[in-house]
Amino acid sequence: MSVWDVLVGQAPVVEALAAATAAGVNEAGGLVAARTAMTHSWLFTGPTGAGRTTAARAFAAALNCESIPPGCGECAGCHTVLTDTAADLRTVRPEGLSLGVKDVRELVRDAASAPTSGRWRILLLEDADRLTDQAANALLKALEEPAQRSVFLLCAPSVDDVLPTIRSRCRVVALRLPRPSDVADALARAGVEDAAARLAAAASQGDLDRARLLATDEAARARRAEVLRIPTRLRRTGDCLGAAADLVNAANADADAANTIRDEVETEALKTALGVGATSAGSTAKRARAVKPGAKGRAMTVRGAAGALKELEKTQKSRGRRTVLDSLDRALVDLAGWYRDVLVLQLGAPVDAIHPDHHELAGQLARVSTPEQTLRRLEAVLACRRRLADNPGLVPLLTVEALTLALRAG
């Protein structure tokens, strides 16, 4: 299986990256390569679900592939990159709402080192749109003077989401959402039953990861069904507030399920590393000595431990906040797709439904409302998405309550 097989519906991207890989192999081997094909800085763009990070990682695997033509997906070079265990790969992904200068400086230091086993040292930066100003400036210096055998792979929703000075130094790879038919075929190849694959592909709106989740996870399908029933619940003001609370509570539950155990493990590991909780009575000397009866151990205090634990707690809170916002965003995407289906029915447009399994509910609302009302509701959902994305500090419950009240008013 080639590393390019995971790029569903991205034939032009695969062609461009394969050409760059061939040039990169020649350059690393000391042969002449076309500089238009291979460069040291890349920016992968595309909407959520297009596979920006997947494409960047496939490219990274191909660059350090041990086979000819590169990109076999089977050799040690490909396998270690795809599993994020390669010595010459450094992946930075923001755990919270932003990506700070500390992580970027570590990335830049790694970029200055020569590769240890592969052809290239590869620095993969996910969600480059979350770079702080300081972090972006630190990265810019590395992009201006790249090391000879280092490659930066940046991922962002669009070129407008990164600084002009950064994008001007990168070759842009623009991905698009694959067609539902391409996603359905990919799910079918993975063993998903045909009808379930088509339904998941349509409901995911081209997001392959989301489609896999809907096709295999009953809880995800139930959550989506609850979201799509929200428009039928908004009869009174209390119903609007209750629907908003249910939506935010579900997002908080997602965050707890995703992060609680991880947070506890991280905290305990840091405490152990710092010696927090250890006692002097429990220590051992060169020769074991019995502790006198009644002796009390004294808790050991490690300089800087409180600050390190506080910094970890801050990171965990930011990560939990990010998880909540991501969960809400998925729900809003589903809701926007449902109102789009209603509008399609009202206008009689000859296009496929995004949520065909909820066709009856969409038809009911289409009959009792006007296209103008549906369009205003769709715009309200999209505006809510933008507010939460552009202002992560907003209180989610108040923002979603404003949305449900707007949906009721029409």
Side-chain angles (χ1 to χ4, degrees), residues 172-238:
V172 177
V173 178
L175 293 94
R176 61 178 179 83
L177 285 173
R179 295 175 298 180
S181 58
D182 293 331
V183 175
D185 290 343
L187 292 177
R189 289 194 297 270
V192 178
E193 192 268 334
D194 187 59
R198 290 198 305 272
L199 177 59
S204 70
Q205 303 180 52
D207 186 334
L208 182 58
D209 290 338
R210 174 70 170 161
R212 288 195 187 101
L213 187 64
L214 290 174
T216 58
D217 190 332
E218 180 61 35
R221 293 193 292 270
R223 184 69 50 80
R224 167 177 162 267
E226 287 297 321
V227 170
L228 297 182
R229 279 194 286 269
I230 285 178
T232 67
R233 297 173 51 186
L234 309 179
R235 296 182 179 85
R236 297 181 298 273
T237 299

Side-chain angles (χ1 to χ4, degrees), residues 393-404:
L394 290 177
V395 178
L397 181 58
L398 296 179
T399 307
V400 178
E401 285 178 348
L403 169 63
T404 54

Side-chain angles (χ1 to χ4, degrees), residues 265-278:
V265 170
E266 287 178 343
T267 301
E268 289 304 315
L270 181 58
K271 286 182 176 179
T272 300
L274 295 173
V276 175

